[in-house]
Amino acid sequence: MALVLVFLIVMVGGLFWVDSKLTRVEAIKNYSGRVSNTKGTNWLLVGSDSRAGLDKKDADRLMAGELNDSVGRTDTIMIVHVPSFGGKPTMLSLPRDSWVDIPGQGQNKLNQAFSIGGPALLQQTVEKATGLRIDRYAEIGFGGFANVVDSVGGLEMCLKEPLKDPMAGVDLKAGCQEMDGPTALGYVRSRYTSARGDLDRVDRQKQFLSALSKKVASPGTLLNPFRGLPTAKSLAGSLTVNKKDHAWNLAMLGLAMRGGANQETVPIGSYMDTYAGNVAVWDDQAAQAIFNKLK
């Protein structure tokens, strides 16, 4: 009984320590005409290519290129819908090249909302495009992703086909294999050598995030101080959340996703060339059917 009590005290103390180390921004704002509450809890998850905080050694290890402290761009944009009363979460990927209306900016690629106005403008853009109210926000930067993977001891992924992409720094064979942080980062960044380009990358990102969430929330990580403490430290130093979000909210998200999640991607109806380059145009009817299921 005493050991259980000590364990609980350490766990609670660790959670508050992680919470104190999280970076917070005003990522979710109210605005005129904002969509009212929709069911469940909707997280806006963002993978940013920001190099802020990386040193030259890390940049070379991760093939990060030029270092700067800019807001960066978003390689990953997802809504994770967690039902209020149990049930499987849904991971809904929004391709970054989606052609959407950015409030006050006109039509552009979805990821430009983040580049122009940071998390809050991305939140508003996503809400207006999907009709889903965003409740919580989490963002992980370029190097943070790799550090978290390394802290859990790597992750086994099973590839249906080889993936070779010099620009992402990966040359992977088909089949199951262990990935360290830099390899995992290259795996989720690659987009130029797959048949479907960014859509294949979106599928890899969802697959990997589900697997990583499962391992982070596993007893092998949580109950092992040699894994749990480095993982908590990596997460604390890597994540940016909304001002009202806390480590226990992230913990609940991880636990909800431990059993896996339904995987969805906003359906693309066509592609077209614009002043912003080639963009993905949603299949409005099919996309709306997905949004409606989550409302």
Side-chain angles (χ1 to χ4, degrees), residues 20 163 239:
S20 70
L163 179 64
L239 286 171

Side-chain angles (χ1 to χ4, degrees), residues 13-218:
L15 201 60
F16 276 93
W17 178 85
V18 170
D19 190 63
S20 70
K21 299 298 182 180
L22 292 171
T23 299
R24 289 185 166 82
V25 296
E26 195 170 357
I28 298 177
K29 295 182 178 180
N30 285 318
Y31 53 86
S32 177
R34 186 182 179 194
V35 62
S36 58
N37 284 333
T38 50
K39 66 183 181 182
T41 300
N42 292 319
W43 283 82
L44 180 59
L45 299 189
V46 171
S48 157
D49 74 349
S50 172
R51 275 72 166 167
L54 290 183
D55 58 25
K56 182 65 167 60
K57 183 178 179 181
D58 280 338
D60 291 342
R61 184 174 73 99
L62 302 175
M63 296 185 68
E66 183 181 354
L67 295 178
N68 59 68
D69 292 321
S70 63
V71 172
R73 298 168 298 177
T74 52
D75 282 334
T76 307
I77 303 170
M78 294 183 188
I79 295 174
V80 178
H81 172 80
V82 181
S84 298
F85 303 104
K88 234 178 184 180
T90 296
M91 295 177 64
L92 175 62
S93 290
L94 286 67
R96 69 174 198 168
D97 291 338
S98 298
W99 188 240
V100 296
D101 183 63
I102 299 177
Q105 303 293 328
Q107 287 195 300
N108 208 324
K109 294 180 178 181
L110 177 60
N111 68 338
Q112 284 299 307
F114 185 85
S115 298
I116 294 169
L121 184 57
L122 180 62
Q123 166 236 337
Q124 185 177 357
T125 302
V126 168
E127 287 184 337
K128 286 186 173 295
T130 65
L132 298 169
R133 186 180 178 98
I134 300 301
D135 304 295
R136 302 193 182 281
Y137 175 86
E139 174 193 331
I140 189 163
F142 200 106
F145 186 95
N147 292 335
V148 173
V149 174
D150 283 337
S151 71
V152 297
L155 202 63
E156 185 182 66
M157 298 297 297
C158 296
L159 281 63
K160 294 181 180 179
E161 56 187 28
L163 179 64
K164 184 176 182 179
D165 186 347
M167 293 189 68
V170 290
D171 185 0
L172 304 171
K173 298 178 180 179
C176 297
Q177 55 209 280
E178 194 79 10
M179 293 187 186
D180 61 9
T183 303
L185 182 61
Y187 178 69
V188 298
R189 288 175 62 206
S190 176
R191 68 186 295 233
Y192 293 106
T193 60
S194 298
R196 300 191 307 148
D198 198 50
L199 293 182
D200 281 337
R201 178 170 67 168
V202 164
D203 288 342
R204 287 193 292 271
Q205 290 170 345
K206 289 186 294 185
Q207 175 197 22
F208 201 91
L209 185 57
S210 291
L212 182 60
S213 298
K214 186 175 182 179
K215 189 161 186 181
V216 168
S218 70

Side-chain angles (χ1 to χ4, degrees), residues 231-266:
T231 300
K233 183 178 179 180
S234 292
L235 284 170
S238 304
L239 286 171
T240 297
V241 298
N242 183 48
K243 284 188 174 181
K244 295 182 179 180
D245 293 332
H246 295 280
W248 38 95
N249 302 128
L250 291 165
M252 293 298 293
L253 174 63
L255 290 172
M257 291 182 61
R258 186 174 55 179
N262 298 317
Q263 307 282 344
E264 298 277 7
T265 299
V266 175

Side-chain angles (χ1 to χ4, degrees), residues 265-279:
T265 299
V266 175
I268 303 302
S270 62
Y271 293 88
M272 69 177 185
D273 292 321
T274 70
Y275 76 92
N278 189 260
V279 300

